[in-house]
Amino acid sequence: MRGIGKVSLIGAGPGDPDLLTVKALKRIQDAEVVVYDRLVSQEIMDLVPPKTALYPVGKKPKSHPIPQEEINQLLVDLAKEGKRVVRLKGGDPFIFGRGSEEAAELVTAGVEYEVVPGITAAQGCASSLNLPLTHRGLATGLRYVTGHCQRDVPLDLDWASLADPNTTLVIYMGLAAIAEISTKLVEHGMPADMPAVAISKGTTSEEQKVFGTLTTIGELAKAAKLPAPTLFMIGDVVGLKETLELPELTGSEGNWGEKRPHLEVING
């Protein structure tokens, strides 16, 4: 009989398969079972060996066909069958990924696990736009915030703290609540003209981005019909766009690879 297996909680990063860690790729290619989320890109799923068993457990906003409790139990059951299990999540498993909830359940069940970090959406999207998350003299701090609350409870955030103009604010899952978030931040002292950007499906071939200000970014994102997942960056670092933007390269000289097509809408 096989002993209890092991679960690897793996961050798949923001979508570009080149941004996977070497360790993540090794675990994916050695797995007997992959339990994966909806936001894991197809390019990354293509790296899974053909004989590996696949369990899709993805959720959509207001649609959770497989409750989290069932996902937790699935991981336990598969591991107790002696399987090498990969739990594959977009971004990083411990940043708005509920990976710690799954880890706690595995510990309770006596199942060994490991965490393989991934590049979170904030890092991936910022780098895709050649924007820093911190910059001397502009941003001395960085905050990651979710714009989505459990069971649609109204947002109850520390708005005064988040409105600090010396902090870069990154909002995950905020597409539906960005208007409310912007209003609250302005009410608590953040400048209305603070630069902002919305990035949809960052680092992938479907990336779209909209630049604006704190008070215009919600309407601009809506007008551009940005699909989820969309991430918002708010702060003076976004204003470095023109300073850090590279000129278009002609020919292949100096080009590391094919330029991904982007839809870009700039206004405000």
Side-chain angles (χ1 to χ4, degrees):
M1 293 181 62
R2 300 179 65 173
I4 296 179
K6 180 177 179 179
V7 177
S8 297
L9 303 173
I10 294 179
D16 183 350
D18 289 341
L19 296 178
L20 274 176
T21 66
V22 173
K23 187 173 184 178
L25 180 59
K26 287 180 178 178
R27 293 293 189 269
I28 290 170
Q29 296 187 329
D30 189 49
E32 294 175 285
V33 179
V34 173
V35 180
Y36 65 99
D37 280 349
R38 178 178 63 91
L39 296 182
V40 178
S41 69
Q42 185 58 51
E43 290 84 357
I44 289 175
M45 292 305 301
D46 288 342
L47 299 174
V48 179
K51 294 183 179 180
T52 304
L54 300 178
Y55 288 79
V57 295
K59 306 180 184 73
K60 295 181 180 180
K62 299 183 179 180
S63 175
H64 298 176
I66 303 180
Q68 185 63 48
E69 292 76 13
E70 292 184 19
I71 296 173
N72 297 347
Q73 190 60 49
L74 175 63
L75 297 176
V76 170
D77 292 344
L78 290 170
K80 287 191 172 181
E81 292 174 8
K83 302 291 180 61
R84 295 187 300 276
V85 182
V86 159
R87 174 68 172 105
L88 196 56
K89 297 172 172 288
D92 182 276
F94 276 13
I95 298 180
F96 303 128
R98 304 190 73 171
S100 55
E101 296 175 40
E102 294 169 359
E105 190 70 23
L106 293 169
V107 169
T108 299
V111 174
E112 182 182 3
Y113 77 94
E114 65 176 345
V115 180
V116 181
I119 293 176
T120 189
Q123 296 169 301
C125 291
S127 296
S128 184
L129 301 182
N130 290 336
L131 290 175
L133 289 167
T134 62
H135 186 85
R136 186 173 61 177
L138 292 181
T140 57
L142 171 63
R143 298 282 295 273
Y144 294 167
V145 178
T146 175
H148 172 75
C149 288
Q150 187 177 14
R151 296 183 178 89
D152 296 321
V153 174
L155 289 173
D156 185 20
L157 303 175
D158 184 354
W159 298 109
S161 174
L162 294 176
D164 179 8
N166 295 314
T167 297
T168 302
L169 185 60
V170 180
I171 302 167
Y172 289 68
M173 299 172 284
L175 197 55
I178 188 60
E180 176 188 357
I181 291 169
S182 297
T183 298
K184 292 289 188 180
L185 291 173
V186 171
E187 287 177 355
H188 287 80
M190 183 173 278
D193 61 352
M194 181 68 77
V197 60
I199 315 103
S200 170
K201 300 186 178 182
T203 80
T204 74
S205 60
E206 300 177 78
E207 178 181 298
Q208 301 178 48
K209 50 190 178 290
V210 177
F211 286 86
T213 67
L214 177 59
T215 53
T216 64
I217 196 62
E219 286 301 317
L220 292 172
K222 182 179 179 180
K225 298 180 179 180
L226 296 183
T230 294
L231 177 139
F232 293 86
M233 281 179 58
I234 300 169
D236 281 324
V237 292
V238 180
L240 293 173
K241 176 186 180 297
E242 294 183 4
T243 302
L244 299 177
E245 188 173 43
L246 289 168
E248 291 290 337
L249 297 174
T250 57
S252 60
E253 183 178 357
N255 194 353
W256 289 93
E258 294 184 4
K259 183 177 177 63
R260 288 191 172 88
H262 297 311
L263 168 64
E264 181 174 3
V265 182
I266 303 178
N267 197 345

